[in-house]
Amino acid sequence: MRIQPKNRRLGILLSGRGSNFEAIADNISAGRLNAAIAVVVSNIENAPGLESARRRGLETLFLPSRKRVREEFDTELVAALNARDAGLVVLAGFMRIVSSVLTDAFPYAILNIHPALLPAFPGLDVQARALEHGVKFSGATVHFVTGTLDDGPIVRQAVVPVLDDDTPDSLGARILIEEHRIYSEAIELVLSGRCEIDGRRIVINH
Ligand code: GRF
């Protein structure tokens, strides 16, 4: 099945510093990524990423999530994304598990980035766990979001060697550089309509 988002309008969801969002916005501004940011949504009111989006003159939205039923929050989120005609939802450090309300509304139209080579080290404390495990390579993964955490079909990965004297911070910083590169590449690939889904494998048509 060919994957084709309905348009090139991105709905960005974030909860924190927003460096992946900034890399995407920079690539759009520089003409390296053909897309538009429809809205930047955060469940954290003072998320630095939300402030950065405001400074860039983008539409922002704070949707409080604390003590909210997941499905109710996601229903509001879907309404907000649809109201701005978002065609592709981009999770950029969005620290919240999404429900089927969101995934059903945007089938094969939600991307996430994770700072490890999935399926290794899903979840949190990723770099500390990778170092403790003694892996020699880690990296970053962009994948479609399905019902299971950090599990959907993989669009793009980048490999980062682990150094003997790495700390979680030093490894994370080198991985982040790759994240900033591959997230925009993956978004472009998905928007281009060149991705086919075969089982859980994404095949790129050239
Ligand atoms: C990144 O490491 C990303 O892989 C993970 O959350 C972090 C977000 O960082 N999902 P930033 O907010 O984009 O700087």
Side-chain angles (χ1 to χ4, degrees), residues 14-22 49 91-95 112-116 127 140-141 150 172 175-176 179-180:
L14 56 79
S15 304
R17 83 192 144 183
S19 73
N20 276 287
F21 148 68
E22 289 180 324
L91 309 192
F94 187 56
M95 302 304 283
N112 182 44
I113 189 151
H114 184 74
Q127 276 85 31
T141 303
D150 296 330
I175 290 175
L176 194 62
E179 292 186 39
H180 293 167

Side-chain angles (χ1 to χ4, degrees), residues 160-171:
V160 173
V162 177
L163 308 178
D164 287 341
D165 60 354
D166 261 331
T167 62
D169 283 350
S170 66
L171 177 58

Side-chain angles (χ1 to χ4, degrees), residues 34-194:
N34 176 14
I37 295 178
V39 64
V40 178
V41 183
S42 182
N43 61 327
I44 304 293
E45 192 166 19
N46 57 2
L50 206 55
E51 180 50 37
S52 166
R54 274 189 214 109
R55 280 197 307 270
R56 287 164 187 260
L58 295 168
E59 183 176 358
T60 60
L61 181 64
F62 162 54
L63 279 186
S65 62
R66 265 176 74 95
K67 300 196 177 148
R68 299 286 311 280
V69 175
R70 206 171 291 292
E71 284 73 15
E72 269 176 38
F73 175 83
D74 283 359
T75 301
E76 260 184 53
L77 190 53
V78 168
L81 292 164
N82 282 337
R84 282 128 185 124
D85 197 25
L88 183 65
V89 180
V90 175
L91 309 192
F94 187 56
M95 302 304 283
R96 206 176 149 79
I97 293 174
V98 303
S99 73
S100 59
V101 171
L102 186 68
T103 52
D104 288 353
F106 290 93
Y108 291 109
I110 310 173
L111 290 175
N112 182 44
I113 189 151
H114 184 74
L117 293 175
L118 291 174
F121 311 117
L124 296 174
D125 279 334
V126 181
Q127 276 85 31
R129 283 158 55 218
L131 289 178
E132 187 184 289
H133 197 96
V135 293
K136 300 300 182 195
F137 292 92
S138 190
T141 303
V142 180
H143 64 94
F144 282 107
V145 173
T146 56
T148 312
L149 181 70
D150 296 330
D151 182 67
I154 291 169
V155 179
R156 212 156 177 87
Q157 290 186 304
V159 175
V160 173
V162 177
L163 308 178
D164 287 341
D165 60 354
D166 261 331
T167 62
D169 283 350
S170 66
L171 177 58
R174 292 203 312 288
I175 290 175
L176 194 62
I177 294 169
E178 295 302 301
E179 292 186 39
H180 293 167
R181 181 174 62 81
I182 66 169
Y183 215 171
S184 290
E185 290 176 2
I187 291 168
E188 175 52 38
L189 265 180
V190 171
L191 294 178
S192 74
R194 285 159 57 212

